[in-house]
DNA sequence: TCCTAATTGATATCAAGTATCAATAAATTG
DNA sequence: CAATTTATTGATACTTGATATCAATTAGGA
């Protein structure tokens, strides 16, 4: 067997697009494999920089399609451009590291149970919810313990 | 007694600025009283339109000061400009009507308790959280029950 | 292969928000 | 109160993030 090939963790983003009746093109494949290969959340501009061979408009359009398909989460940030993160589970929330920006998905049944219990107390019909937990991730904690004074 | 005067519900936004060592100016008073008088959440651009006598830069600066002072909440929206809402309680969350955009503040002790319990399960240190519940508010429900087919 | 509709991407444009900086207005001092 | 000092203002230019346009290209089916 030859040297092992790097296999993307998820090879379904392009499928998510095809499932919506969109054509499989080289530009779209470039965008989706880049998202799948690179780790973690990203901004649209980062993706454009990483893929200079794909036009900005196409990058933005592809991101929009993926969000519409539910394959990407759009995370509006308190300031700056929104981040996008691959959606691995149907319904979930996110942890965001305030130090380095790392985004992780999480699910917790208690949270969902509490949400359902809120229906009685809230005026109107609940149609959805969103939640983010801001953390200092373990990487960043380790970093500062090693005497790193700078935030990066 | 003459015809009753309209009294703003909260007259403390300008104080929040003065407490931070900022001067009380007519431009800032115009901004804060407009926020206090008008009801509900708003965008920076809306405020600019409502106060043509105040420069855009000043409107944006004043909003930023108020957010820094904790007197306004900044709510990043999934798309479009963020909304701002007067902060009545120290820590709280928001309900947002997906139909009309109305924003309400809410607090629920169970939610906070669950948050604390999550500390054990999440990798890293929790430094904060944010949560929004998307609703169809009772106004909008009533509206559609009265046979209003249009969303507005 | 040929045809047609979808896609692309350079460019222009838009929208939200910030930086600049001379003119103005608050507070402070005498 | 007048003079002085310092913060504030706002017109303007600019930045950033994102979308609209549209001729040229490409995917996918007949
Ligand atoms: Zn981190
Ligand atoms: Zn949930
Ligand atoms: Zn409503
Ligand atoms: Zn909370």
């Amino acid at each position: 067997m030859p040297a092992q090939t790097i296999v993307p963790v998820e090879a379904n983003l392009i499928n998510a697009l095809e499932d919506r009746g969109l054509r499989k093109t080289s530009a779209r494949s470039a965008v989706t494999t880049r998202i799948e290969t690179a780790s973690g959340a990203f901004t649209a501009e980062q993706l454009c920089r990483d893929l200079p061979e794909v036009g900005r408009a196409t990058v933005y359009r592809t991101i929009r399609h993926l969000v519409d398909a539910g394959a990407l989460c759009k995370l509006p940030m308190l300031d700056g451009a929104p981040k996008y993160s691959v959606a691995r589970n149907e319904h979930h929330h996110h942890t965001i590291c305030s130090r380095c920006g790392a985004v992780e998905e999480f699910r917790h049944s208690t949270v969902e149970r509490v949400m359902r219990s809120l229906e009685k107390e809230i005026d109107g019909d609940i149609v959805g919810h969103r939640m983010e937990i801001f953390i200092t991730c373990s990487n960043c904690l380790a970093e500062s313990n090693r005497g790193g004074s700078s935030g990066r």
Side-chain angles (χ1 to χ4, degrees), chain A:
Chain A
M1 212 181 210
Q4 208 159 353
T5 3
I6 294 160
V7 178
V9 187
E10 315 222 349
N12 42 20
L13 289 184
I14 193 74
N15 289 347
L17 296 179
E18 290 196 87
D19 290 353
R20 303 205 106 210
L22 298 167
R23 289 183 179 172
K24 178 175 176 170
T25 68
S26 62
R28 285 178 182 153
S29 297
V31 171
T32 54
T33 56
R34 172 79 210 184
I35 294 174
E36 286 159 353
T37 309
S39 67
F42 58 91
T43 66
E45 287 304 315
Q46 276 167 21
L47 204 48
C48 289
R49 258 176 273 131
D50 292 347
L51 295 169
E53 69 273 21
V54 180
R56 323 168 53 64
T58 302
V59 170
Y60 275 93
R61 277 187 295 237
T62 306
I63 289 175
R64 191 149 20 110
H65 285 310
L66 289 167
V67 171
D68 290 349
L72 273 191
C73 297
K74 182 176 184 176
L75 300 170
M77 296 285 124
L78 206 51
D79 33 34
K83 289 192 176 176
Y84 298 91
S85 145
V86 176
R88 281 157 224 282
N89 296 293
E90 197 67 28
H91 173 79
H92 60 266
H93 303 286
H94 297 94
T95 58
I96 304 174
C97 176
S98 310
R99 194 86 62 94
C100 71
V103 173
E104 293 292 336
E105 198 171 302
F106 83 92
R107 259 194 70 80
H108 200 275
S109 54
T110 313
V111 172
E112 304 311 316
R113 202 167 332 115
V114 170
M115 283 298 151
R116 282 194 294 280
S117 79
L118 281 176
E119 301 210 9
K120 303 174 197 88
E121 326 217 7
I122 282 174
D123 197 37
D125 285 358
I126 294 184
V127 298
H129 64 264
R130 176 171 87 185
M131 174 168 154
E132 285 103 38
I133 298 189
F134 299 101
I135 63 170
T136 306
C137 77
S138 42
N139 277 349
C140 286
L141 283 176
E143 186 113 359
S144 45
N145 285 346
R146 277 204 308 281
S149 52
S150 105
R152 180 163 263 275

